[in-house]
Amino acid sequence: MSGRSRVIAVHPLIWPDCRNVRDLAGLPTTTGELQPDRLIRSDNLDQLTPTGRAAVEALDISRFVDLRSAWECETWPSPYADDARWRNVPLWDPGDRDVSDLDLFEMYRILIDDYNARVASAVTAIADAPPGAVVVNCHAGKDRTGIVIALTLDLSGVPEDLIATDYATSEASASTILRLLGHVRQRYGGTRQYLLGSGASRAKLDVLIARLTT
């Protein structure tokens, strides 16, 4: 990462009453840039009004990757829960250890280190979706979504400073996700090696990069 911060063009999507939705198109990679209508991050879709639902349906969305726990999905059901495009890939389970008293980086690190198979499943859920846009969401669209999106962007060759800038758009501290990416690099040798060691195949990761960048 360079010492200078760069400004990126944010592509917010108006999905009433969601408040943290954006298309990640235009982020530069080592081979080009992320293409439009390929990867969208969002907060909880149960907030969608009829106008919001219409805005979603106006796009060619092939999969909704919902990272919330089963309890959250039951309490705040997604309007797409009965839709074949919806896939629940919970990163936290109600039976997991309570980490609510830890700082964000430590929470993220535990998720990366102790529940790596879940994280890899979330990333591969983007890779094996049918052609079209993939929406990744959790509750606020910041933490769980932020981790999965950061790893996906890093795998695709987006510079770390721009990954951090996107993360910070969700009213978060850029330093948190930079620390996490540094941890992945130092402990696992980088995002690609981390995902391969967590159950993702080389073919799936290559497909993911291709669908986002070509």
Side-chain angles (χ1 to χ4, degrees), residues 14-210:
I14 309 302
W15 291 1
D17 278 336
C18 291
R19 297 172 178 81
N20 190 16
V21 188
R22 56 191 179 275
D23 189 328
L24 297 167
L27 285 171
T29 71
T30 51
T31 58
E33 64 180 34
L34 297 191
Q35 298 301 301
D37 301 325
R38 305 292 175 85
L39 184 61
I40 296 169
R41 58 181 299 168
S42 174
D43 48 337
N44 194 354
L45 299 177
D46 89 307
Q47 303 169 109
L48 287 170
T49 65
T51 300
R53 289 284 302 275
V56 171
E57 294 304 329
L59 299 176
D60 180 21
I61 293 173
S62 64
R63 175 161 293 166
F64 299 92
V65 181
D66 193 332
L67 304 175
R68 298 176 301 151
S69 69
W71 177 83
E72 289 174 288
C73 291
E74 292 173 2
T75 306
W76 300 284
S78 169
Y80 300 99
D82 296 325
D83 192 310
R85 297 173 295 174
W86 184 75
R87 180 176 293 186
N88 183 212
V89 188
L91 294 193
W92 292 112
D93 184 270
D96 295 338
R97 58 176 285 196
D98 183 9
V99 297
S100 59
D101 60 335
L102 302 177
D103 66 36
L104 273 184
F105 169 74
E106 191 62 18
M107 290 172 61
Y108 290 7
R109 185 200 61 75
I110 289 171
L111 190 59
I112 287 288
D113 291 346
D114 296 353
Y115 305 108
N116 56 311
R118 300 178 190 175
V119 175
S121 293
V123 174
T124 55
I126 303 171
D128 63 18
V134 176
V135 178
V136 180
N137 79 279
C138 55
H139 190 75
K142 176 174 73 75
D143 298 320
R144 289 166 289 185
T145 297
I147 291 171
V148 171
I149 292 296
L151 293 177
T152 301
L153 296 181
D154 192 47
L155 177 71
S156 301
V158 176
E160 282 191 5
D161 60 328
L162 298 186
I163 296 173
T165 299
D166 171 68
Y167 172 80
T169 302
S170 296
E171 299 183 354
S173 172
S175 62
T176 302
I177 207 68
L178 288 173
R179 285 184 67 192
L180 187 72
L181 291 172
H183 171 74
V184 172
R185 185 171 56 253
Q186 292 166 13
R187 178 163 181 173
Y188 302 98
T191 293
R192 186 178 182 87
Q193 292 306 117
Y194 167 75
L195 292 170
L196 289 172
S198 302
S201 69
R202 295 181 185 277
K204 282 286 179 67
L205 298 186
D206 291 342
V207 166
L208 176 57
I209 295 169

